[in-house]
Amino acid sequence: YSDNFGDSWIQAESVPYTSTLTDISCSSKQSCWATGHDATILHTNDYGVTWITQYEDSSWDAPLLSIHMFDDNEGIAIGAFALSLRTVDGGQTWGYLFLDDDEFQPHLNFTYADAQIWRKSAQNEVYAVGELGKYYISDDRGLNWLAVNTDYDGSYWAGIKVDDGQSLLLGMSGNLTLITQYGQDDKIPSDAITTLACYESGYFSGECKTLGFKKLNIGSKNSLTNAVTLDDGRIAMSGNGGAILIIDLYRKKNIETCVRSDRLSNTSVVYLGSDEFLLAGEKGFRKHSMSECYNNFSSEDTNSQDSYVKLDLG
């Protein structure tokens, strides 16, 4: 853990686990949960200093890939071969959760919720993405799920909610999808690719949602891995091969993509404020500045191999 924005790191005092960890979710600065291989879930209640094992199933021989905790009690964890778990007691017990009846048992790669906690929808909604272009929606904290087939056959690695009824889904080879949920009175653009998805059981039996998909060009073929919301509403994303990009959906309506000269793959991005980011991934952590990348690309007085692309969303 780091207490100085990633400048230095301290190894936790006690971690009863030696395999790969895949995701982390914190209900507060003090209380966090982490997922890992062998269907393992770890928990800390002292700011990451010590950890305990809350759940493990070494016989499963596959990882849990992502976790989201709504608060100190309720949360879900998902992973390979459609493995899905849910807790209502802070992780003291985890029960199996039905999320997808696809016989292929696609991997569930990432789960997320609305980071804008002031929105009413943020209290109960949760989303997930995975293989086969699958996108999942739950309106009741993971009890019932809507499985949505998008117009994409590859894997989505992550997602982020960008507005009420809208998410960005991050995929392979630079595939970025803007998904929009349309209400009964909304005007659907004539060129929109749409699908109708309906709940089949549970509280939402008979309820259907109309969803539209738009593919966005980021200017590179780097796979996208993680996203975070900036103070002004823009979205920053990390990617493989040194990629980091910022998308502005509402004001400039453009995407700015930097491919760093180190070409190291980035698995996640943390916003540090202003123009500074912390990237995590291949060979550890590094700081990043979009303006520095642009200056390196455009200046004739540098030997940097940074590249920079600006694209209009229109």
Side-chain angles (χ1 to χ4, degrees), residues 172-248:
M172 302 168 63
S173 302
N175 279 283
L176 181 63
T177 304
L178 177 64
I179 182 168
T180 302
Q181 181 179 320
Y182 293 105
Q184 291 183 345
D185 299 326
D186 291 337
K187 184 177 180 180
I188 302 176
S190 58
D191 59 346
I193 300 172
T194 61
T195 186
L196 184 68
C198 302
Y199 287 103
E200 296 180 354
S201 61
Y203 292 114
F204 300 96
S205 178
E207 182 179 340
C208 298
K209 298 181 187 293
T210 301
L211 301 160
F213 308 92
K214 182 178 182 180
K215 301 296 178 62
L216 304 179
N217 178 20
I218 71 167
S220 78
K221 291 294 184 180
N222 301 61
S223 294
L224 303 173
T225 57
N226 189 232
V228 63
T229 304
L230 308 187
D231 293 338
D232 58 6
R234 294 178 300 159
I235 306 295
M237 301 182 188
S238 59
N240 289 343
I244 177 170
L245 57 121
I246 294 180
I247 178 170
D248 188 337

Side-chain angles (χ1 to χ4, degrees), residues 1 6 18 22 30 37 63 71 85 102 122 124-125 135 149 151 157 161 165 182 195 205 232 260 267 275 287 297 310:
Y1 57 92
T18 56
T22 55
Q30 177 179 344
H37 284 226
D71 49 38
L85 303 172
D102 192 316
N124 298 313
E125 289 182 5
Y135 174 61
N149 288 309
D151 186 44
W157 300 123
K161 186 163 184 177
Y182 293 105
T195 186
S205 178
D232 58 6
R260 292 166 51 90
T267 55
D275 183 48
K287 296 287 183 70
F297 172 70
K310 292 184 181 182

